[in-house]
Amino acid sequence: MFKKMLASVGIGGASVDTLLEDNRLLPGQMFNATIVVKGGNVAQRISGLDLALMTKVKVSTDNGDYFKNHKLATWRLSDSFEIQAGEVRNIPFSGKLHPETPFTQLPVRNNQCQVWLQTGVDIDSAIDPSDTDVLVVMPTPVLEHVLNAMFSMGYVLYKADVEQGFLNTRAFRSTSGCYQEFEFKPRNLGLNTIREIEISVVCEAEQTHLLLELDRAFRGDGYLYFTLANNASASQVLEVFKANIR
């Protein structure tokens, strides 16, 4: 009886751990994992096992900004089952990252982008053990071309974050409830009339949409958007940026 009481408040109860084959992924990429559930000191009924793809988003309000966790996708791994004391149960799983999963491996010091997988077991009448696994989301080739194009045009990436909300243009719309934003400044201000460029990104399987906000010193803010094929070359991307950013 004493052991069951301890397990009911999360002491000596079941635990869960997600083991990824590779934590370096691209948006929209398939991944494989093994979810390991270990029984505690007594048998327990687990009413469900879930996996969630998470990121941290910035929320802007009249009283200032704050960050909160945001769910990009969820998977139901298992329905109700009982795990015995000391039992180890391995559950294989294959999933696919949301195509709008934010990039985290970026050449910027002020990088506020985080992505992780969170695993939880819903144990009846117990504190839910959980497991968090950080993902390294790599830039796609076309995003690398975008970053290189901006650098070659005299701009430096100084901040990256994930904003709450949807991007909505005549050509595309985001779907995940958040979007990634890259902030660039000219390396040498000089006579450059553009003080800052914010680029928001919406990724799809075959193409990448970009929304640019240009902060001009004398003409106010300007907006433009365009779409790049994911197989576009570096020279093609640079040509598009030179034609649009003036």
Side-chain angles (χ1 to χ4, degrees), residues 33-78:
T34 300
I35 291 80
V36 182
V37 184
K38 296 181 180 180
N41 295 332
V42 296
Q44 285 181 276
R45 169 63 57 179
I46 296 177
S47 59
L49 184 62
D50 299 283
L51 183 68
L53 177 64
M54 306 291 297
T55 188
K56 194 173 291 291
V57 299
K58 184 171 74 174
V59 183
S60 298
T61 70
D62 293 338
N63 297 321
D65 300 336
Y66 67 93
F67 288 88
K68 74 172 188 177
N69 293 343
H70 179 78
K71 193 179 298 181
L72 293 163
T74 57
W75 300 272
R76 186 68 168 178
L77 302 176
S78 174

Short mmCIF file of all heavy atoms in Angstrom, two decimals, residues 33-78:
data_model
loop_
_atom_site.label_atom_id
_atom_site.label_comp_id
_atom_site.label_asym_id
_atom_site.label_seq_id
_atom_site.Cartn_x
_atom_site.Cartn_y
_atom_site.Cartn_z
N ALA A 33 12.43 7.31 -33.85
CA ALA A 33 12.74 7.35 -32.42
C ALA A 33 12.22 6.07 -31.76
O ALA A 33 11.38 5.36 -32.30
CB ALA A 33 12.10 8.57 -31.77
N THR A 34 12.76 5.82 -30.58
CA THR A 34 12.25 4.76 -29.72
C THR A 34 11.84 5.38 -28.40
O THR A 34 12.65 6.05 -27.75
CB THR A 34 13.32 3.67 -29.49
OG1 THR A 34 13.71 3.11 -30.74
CG2 THR A 34 12.77 2.58 -28.59
N ILE A 35 10.61 5.18 -28.02
CA ILE A 35 10.12 5.69 -26.73
C ILE A 35 10.23 4.57 -25.71
O ILE A 35 9.64 3.49 -25.89
CB ILE A 35 8.67 6.19 -26.84
CG1 ILE A 35 8.60 7.47 -27.70
CG2 ILE A 35 8.11 6.51 -25.46
CD1 ILE A 35 8.64 7.26 -29.16
N VAL A 36 11.02 4.82 -24.68
CA VAL A 36 11.30 3.80 -23.67
C VAL A 36 10.50 4.15 -22.41
O VAL A 36 10.70 5.21 -21.80
CB VAL A 36 12.80 3.74 -23.33
CG1 VAL A 36 13.07 2.64 -22.30
CG2 VAL A 36 13.62 3.48 -24.60
N VAL A 37 9.58 3.25 -22.03
CA VAL A 37 8.79 3.43 -20.82
C VAL A 37 9.30 2.43 -19.78
O VAL A 37 9.36 1.23 -20.05
CB VAL A 37 7.29 3.20 -21.08
CG1 VAL A 37 6.49 3.51 -19.82
CG2 VAL A 37 6.81 4.07 -22.24
N LYS A 38 9.69 2.93 -18.62
CA LYS A 38 10.23 2.08 -17.56
C LYS A 38 9.27 2.08 -16.37
O LYS A 38 8.90 3.13 -15.86
CB LYS A 38 11.60 2.57 -17.11
CG LYS A 38 12.66 2.50 -18.20
CD LYS A 38 14.02 2.99 -17.69
CE LYS A 38 15.07 2.90 -18.78
NZ LYS A 38 16.40 3.37 -18.31
N GLY A 39 8.91 0.89 -15.96
CA GLY A 39 8.05 0.77 -14.80
C GLY A 39 8.77 1.16 -13.53
O GLY A 39 10.00 1.03 -13.42
N GLY A 40 8.01 1.64 -12.56
CA GLY A 40 8.60 2.06 -11.29
C GLY A 40 8.60 0.93 -10.28
O GLY A 40 8.87 -0.23 -10.61
N ASN A 41 8.26 1.23 -9.04
CA ASN A 41 8.29 0.25 -7.95
C ASN A 41 7.03 -0.59 -7.88
O ASN A 41 7.03 -1.64 -7.22
CB ASN A 41 8.50 0.96 -6.62
CG ASN A 41 9.86 1.64 -6.55
OD1 ASN A 41 10.81 1.21 -7.20
ND2 ASN A 41 9.94 2.71 -5.76
N VAL A 42 5.96 -0.13 -8.54
CA VAL A 42 4.70 -0.88 -8.52
C VAL A 42 4.10 -0.85 -9.92
O VAL A 42 4.46 -0.02 -10.76
CB VAL A 42 3.69 -0.26 -7.52
CG1 VAL A 42 4.21 -0.35 -6.10
CG2 VAL A 42 3.36 1.17 -7.90
N ALA A 43 3.19 -1.76 -10.18
CA ALA A 43 2.46 -1.75 -11.45
C ALA A 43 1.59 -0.51 -11.54
O ALA A 43 1.04 -0.05 -10.52
CB ALA A 43 1.61 -3.02 -11.58
N GLN A 44 1.48 0.05 -12.75
CA GLN A 44 0.67 1.26 -12.93
C GLN A 44 -0.10 1.19 -14.23
O GLN A 44 0.38 0.64 -15.23
CB GLN A 44 1.56 2.51 -12.95
CG GLN A 44 2.08 2.94 -11.59
CD GLN A 44 2.93 4.18 -11.70
OE1 GLN A 44 4.11 4.10 -11.99
NE2 GLN A 44 2.32 5.33 -11.49
N ARG A 45 -1.29 1.75 -14.23
CA ARG A 45 -2.09 1.91 -15.43
C ARG A 45 -1.77 3.25 -16.07
O ARG A 45 -1.91 4.30 -15.44
CB ARG A 45 -3.58 1.83 -15.08
CG ARG A 45 -4.53 2.24 -16.19
CD ARG A 45 -4.46 1.35 -17.41
NE ARG A 45 -4.70 -0.06 -17.10
CZ ARG A 45 -4.71 -1.00 -18.02
NH1 ARG A 45 -4.46 -0.71 -19.29
NH2 ARG A 45 -4.95 -2.26 -17.67
N ILE A 46 -1.28 3.22 -17.29
CA ILE A 46 -0.95 4.43 -18.04
C ILE A 46 -2.06 4.65 -19.06
O ILE A 46 -2.30 3.80 -19.92
CB ILE A 46 0.41 4.31 -18.73
CG1 ILE A 46 1.51 4.18 -17.67
CG2 ILE A 46 0.67 5.51 -19.63
CD1 ILE A 46 2.89 3.98 -18.23
N SER A 47 -2.75 5.77 -18.95
CA SER A 47 -3.93 5.99 -19.78
C SER A 47 -3.60 6.56 -21.15
O SER A 47 -4.49 6.67 -21.99
CB SER A 47 -4.91 6.93 -19.06
OG SER A 47 -4.30 8.16 -18.77
N GLY A 48 -2.35 6.89 -21.40
CA GLY A 48 -1.99 7.37 -22.73
C GLY A 48 -0.55 7.83 -22.79
O GLY A 48 0.05 8.17 -21.76
N LEU A 49 0.00 7.85 -23.98
CA LEU A 49 1.38 8.28 -24.20
C LEU A 49 1.39 9.18 -25.42
O LEU A 49 0.92 8.80 -26.50
CB LEU A 49 2.28 7.06 -24.41
CG LEU A 49 3.77 7.29 -24.55
CD1 LEU A 49 4.34 7.91 -23.29
CD2 LEU A 49 4.48 5.98 -24.85
N ASP A 50 1.92 10.39 -25.26
CA ASP A 50 1.87 11.40 -26.32
C ASP A 50 3.24 11.99 -26.58
O ASP A 50 4.09 12.07 -25.68
CB ASP A 50 0.91 12.52 -25.95
CG ASP A 50 -0.51 12.03 -25.75
OD1 ASP A 50 -1.18 11.78 -26.76
OD2 ASP A 50 -0.93 11.88 -24.59
N LEU A 51 3.45 12.45 -27.82
CA LEU A 51 4.66 13.14 -28.22
C LEU A 51 4.26 14.45 -28.87
O LEU A 51 3.32 14.49 -29.69
CB LEU A 51 5.46 12.28 -29.20
CG LEU A 51 6.81 12.83 -29.67
CD1 LEU A 51 7.81 12.84 -28.51
CD2 LEU A 51 7.36 11.98 -30.82
N ALA A 52 4.93 15.54 -28.51
CA ALA A 52 4.59 16.85 -29.06
C ALA A 52 5.85 17.52 -29.60
O ALA A 52 6.92 17.42 -29.01
CB ALA A 52 3.95 17.73 -27.99
N LEU A 53 5.70 18.20 -30.73
CA LEU A 53 6.75 19.04 -31.31
C LEU A 53 6.52 20.46 -30.82
O LEU A 53 5.47 21.05 -31.09
CB LEU A 53 6.71 18.97 -32.83
CG LEU A 53 7.70 19.85 -33.60
CD1 LEU A 53 9.14 19.43 -33.31
CD2 LEU A 53 7.41 19.80 -35.10
N MET A 54 7.49 21.01 -30.10
CA MET A 54 7.31 22.28 -29.40
C MET A 54 8.33 23.33 -29.86
O MET A 54 9.43 23.00 -30.30
CB MET A 54 7.49 22.07 -27.89
CG MET A 54 6.62 20.99 -27.28
SD MET A 54 4.87 21.44 -27.26
CE MET A 54 4.91 22.89 -26.19
N THR A 55 7.92 24.59 -29.75
CA THR A 55 8.84 25.70 -29.92
C THR A 55 8.45 26.79 -28.94
O THR A 55 7.42 26.70 -28.26
CB THR A 55 8.81 26.23 -31.37
OG1 THR A 55 9.86 27.19 -31.55
CG2 THR A 55 7.48 26.90 -31.69
N LYS A 56 9.28 27.81 -28.84
CA LYS A 56 9.00 28.94 -27.95
C LYS A 56 8.72 30.17 -28.81
O LYS A 56 9.52 30.50 -29.69
CB LYS A 56 10.19 29.20 -27.02
CG LYS A 56 9.86 30.12 -25.85
CD LYS A 56 11.03 30.20 -24.88
CE LYS A 56 11.26 28.90 -24.15
NZ LYS A 56 10.15 28.58 -23.20
N VAL A 57 7.58 30.82 -28.57
CA VAL A 57 7.17 31.95 -29.40
C VAL A 57 7.14 33.23 -28.57
O VAL A 57 6.88 33.20 -27.36
CB VAL A 57 5.79 31.71 -30.04
CG1 VAL A 57 5.82 30.49 -30.94
CG2 VAL A 57 4.69 31.56 -28.99
N LYS A 58 7.39 34.34 -29.25
CA LYS A 58 7.29 35.65 -28.62
C LYS A 58 5.88 36.19 -28.82
O LYS A 58 5.37 36.22 -29.95
CB LYS A 58 8.31 36.62 -29.20
CG LYS A 58 8.30 37.98 -28.51
CD LYS A 58 9.46 38.85 -28.96
CE LYS A 58 9.25 39.40 -30.34
NZ LYS A 58 10.31 40.37 -30.73
N VAL A 59 5.26 36.60 -27.73
CA VAL A 59 3.92 37.17 -27.76
C VAL A 59 4.03 38.65 -27.45
O VAL A 59 4.58 39.04 -26.42
CB VAL A 59 3.00 36.47 -26.74
CG1 VAL A 59 1.59 37.03 -26.84
CG2 VAL A 59 3.01 34.96 -26.96
N SER A 60 3.51 39.47 -28.34
CA SER A 60 3.57 40.92 -28.16
C SER A 60 2.23 41.44 -27.66
O SER A 60 1.18 41.14 -28.23
CB SER A 60 3.93 41.61 -29.48
OG SER A 60 5.21 41.20 -29.92
N THR A 61 2.26 42.21 -26.57
CA THR A 61 1.05 42.79 -26.00
C THR A 61 1.29 44.27 -25.73
O THR A 61 2.42 44.77 -25.84
CB THR A 61 0.66 42.09 -24.68
OG1 THR A 61 1.63 42.43 -23.67
CG2 THR A 61 0.63 40.58 -24.86
N ASP A 62 0.24 44.96 -25.35
CA ASP A 62 0.36 46.38 -25.01
C ASP A 62 1.24 46.58 -23.78
O ASP A 62 1.79 47.67 -23.57
CB ASP A 62 -1.03 46.98 -24.76
CG ASP A 62 -1.87 47.03 -26.04
OD1 ASP A 62 -1.27 47.01 -27.14
OD2 ASP A 62 -3.11 47.06 -25.93
N ASN A 63 1.35 45.54 -22.95
CA ASN A 63 2.15 45.64 -21.72
C ASN A 63 3.57 45.10 -21.90
O ASN A 63 4.29 44.95 -20.91
CB ASN A 63 1.45 44.87 -20.59
CG ASN A 63 0.09 45.47 -20.25
OD1 ASN A 63 -0.07 46.70 -20.25
ND2 ASN A 63 -0.89 44.62 -19.97
N GLY A 64 3.93 44.79 -23.13
CA GLY A 64 5.28 44.28 -23.37
C GLY A 64 5.26 42.90 -23.99
O GLY A 64 4.19 42.32 -24.27
N ASP A 65 6.42 42.35 -24.22
CA ASP A 65 6.57 41.05 -24.84
C ASP A 65 6.89 39.97 -23.80
O ASP A 65 7.50 40.25 -22.78
CB ASP A 65 7.70 41.07 -25.88
CG ASP A 65 7.45 42.07 -26.99
OD1 ASP A 65 6.27 42.41 -27.23
OD2 ASP A 65 8.43 42.53 -27.61
N TYR A 66 6.47 38.77 -24.09
CA TYR A 66 6.85 37.63 -23.26
C TYR A 66 6.88 36.38 -24.15
O TYR A 66 6.37 36.38 -25.28
CB TYR A 66 5.88 37.43 -22.09
CG TYR A 66 4.48 37.02 -22.49
CD1 TYR A 66 4.11 35.67 -22.55
CD2 TYR A 66 3.50 37.98 -22.79
CE1 TYR A 66 2.83 35.28 -22.90
CE2 TYR A 66 2.22 37.59 -23.14
CZ TYR A 66 1.90 36.25 -23.20
OH TYR A 66 0.63 35.88 -23.55
N PHE A 67 7.52 35.32 -23.65
CA PHE A 67 7.64 34.08 -24.41
C PHE A 67 6.78 32.99 -23.78
O PHE A 67 6.61 32.94 -22.57
CB PHE A 67 9.11 33.62 -24.45
CG PHE A 67 9.98 34.48 -25.32
CD1 PHE A 67 10.60 35.61 -24.81
CD2 PHE A 67 10.18 34.15 -26.65
CE1 PHE A 67 11.40 36.40 -25.62
CE2 PHE A 67 10.98 34.93 -27.46
CZ PHE A 67 11.60 36.06 -26.95
N LYS A 68 6.26 32.12 -24.63
CA LYS A 68 5.50 30.97 -24.15
C LYS A 68 5.74 29.78 -25.07
O LYS A 68 6.15 29.95 -26.23
CB LYS A 68 4.01 31.29 -24.05
CG LYS A 68 3.30 31.36 -25.39
CD LYS A 68 1.79 31.49 -25.17
CE LYS A 68 1.02 31.37 -26.48
NZ LYS A 68 -0.44 31.43 -26.28
N ASN A 69 5.49 28.59 -24.55
CA ASN A 69 5.64 27.38 -25.34
C ASN A 69 4.48 27.27 -26.34
O ASN A 69 3.34 27.60 -26.02
CB ASN A 69 5.68 26.15 -24.46
CG ASN A 69 6.93 26.11 -23.60
OD1 ASN A 69 7.91 26.80 -23.86
ND2 ASN A 69 6.91 25.28 -22.56
N HIS A 70 4.82 26.77 -27.52
CA HIS A 70 3.81 26.64 -28.59
C HIS A 70 3.92 25.25 -29.20
O HIS A 70 5.02 24.79 -29.51
CB HIS A 70 4.05 27.71 -29.66
CG HIS A 70 3.09 27.64 -30.81
ND1 HIS A 70 1.80 28.11 -30.75
CD2 HIS A 70 3.24 27.13 -32.07
CE1 HIS A 70 1.21 27.91 -31.92
NE2 HIS A 70 2.06 27.31 -32.73
N LYS A 71 2.79 24.60 -29.39
CA LYS A 71 2.76 23.24 -29.91
C LYS A 71 2.58 23.28 -31.43
O LYS A 71 1.61 23.82 -31.95
CB LYS A 71 1.62 22.47 -29.25
CG LYS A 71 1.64 20.97 -29.46
CD LYS A 71 0.48 20.31 -28.74
CE LYS A 71 0.57 20.53 -27.24
NZ LYS A 71 -0.54 19.87 -26.50
N LEU A 72 3.56 22.70 -32.15
CA LEU A 72 3.51 22.65 -33.60
C LEU A 72 2.80 21.40 -34.12
O LEU A 72 2.15 21.44 -35.17
CB LEU A 72 4.92 22.69 -34.18
CG LEU A 72 5.70 23.99 -34.00
CD1 LEU A 72 7.17 23.76 -34.24
CD2 LEU A 72 5.16 25.07 -34.94
N ALA A 73 2.94 20.30 -33.41
CA ALA A 73 2.32 19.05 -33.83
C ALA A 73 2.26 18.10 -32.63
O ALA A 73 3.06 18.22 -31.69
CB ALA A 73 3.11 18.40 -34.97
N THR A 74 1.32 17.17 -32.66
CA THR A 74 1.22 16.14 -31.62
C THR A 74 0.96 14.79 -32.26
O THR A 74 0.37 14.69 -33.33
CB THR A 74 0.09 16.45 -30.62
OG1 THR A 74 -1.15 16.57 -31.34
CG2 THR A 74 0.35 17.73 -29.86
N TRP A 75 1.44 13.77 -31.58
CA TRP A 75 1.21 12.39 -32.01
C TRP A 75 0.76 11.57 -30.81
O TRP A 75 1.33 11.68 -29.74
CB TRP A 75 2.48 11.77 -32.59
CG TRP A 75 3.04 12.47 -33.79
CD1 TRP A 75 2.72 12.25 -35.10
CD2 TRP A 75 4.06 13.49 -33.80
NE1 TRP A 75 3.46 13.07 -35.91
CE2 TRP A 75 4.29 13.85 -35.14
CE3 TRP A 75 4.79 14.14 -32.79
CZ2 TRP A 75 5.21 14.81 -35.52
CZ3 TRP A 75 5.70 15.11 -33.14
CH2 TRP A 75 5.91 15.43 -34.49
N ARG A 76 -0.25 10.75 -31.02
CA ARG A 76 -0.68 9.79 -29.99
C ARG A 76 0.11 8.51 -30.20
O ARG A 76 -0.03 7.83 -31.21
CB ARG A 76 -2.17 9.52 -30.11
CG ARG A 76 -2.74 8.66 -28.99
CD ARG A 76 -2.72 9.40 -27.67
NE ARG A 76 -3.52 8.71 -26.65
CZ ARG A 76 -3.63 9.13 -25.41
NH1 ARG A 76 -3.01 10.22 -25.01
NH2 ARG A 76 -4.37 8.47 -24.53
N LEU A 77 0.96 8.19 -29.24
CA LEU A 77 1.86 7.05 -29.39
C LEU A 77 1.23 5.76 -28.91
O LEU A 77 1.51 4.68 -29.44
CB LEU A 77 3.15 7.30 -28.60
CG LEU A 77 3.95 8.55 -28.97
CD1 LEU A 77 5.14 8.71 -28.05
CD2 LEU A 77 4.40 8.50 -30.42
N SER A 78 0.42 5.85 -27.86
CA SER A 78 -0.15 4.63 -27.29
C SER A 78 -1.40 4.97 -26.51
O SER A 78 -1.48 6.03 -25.89
CB SER A 78 0.86 3.94 -26.37
OG SER A 78 0.30 2.84 -25.71
#
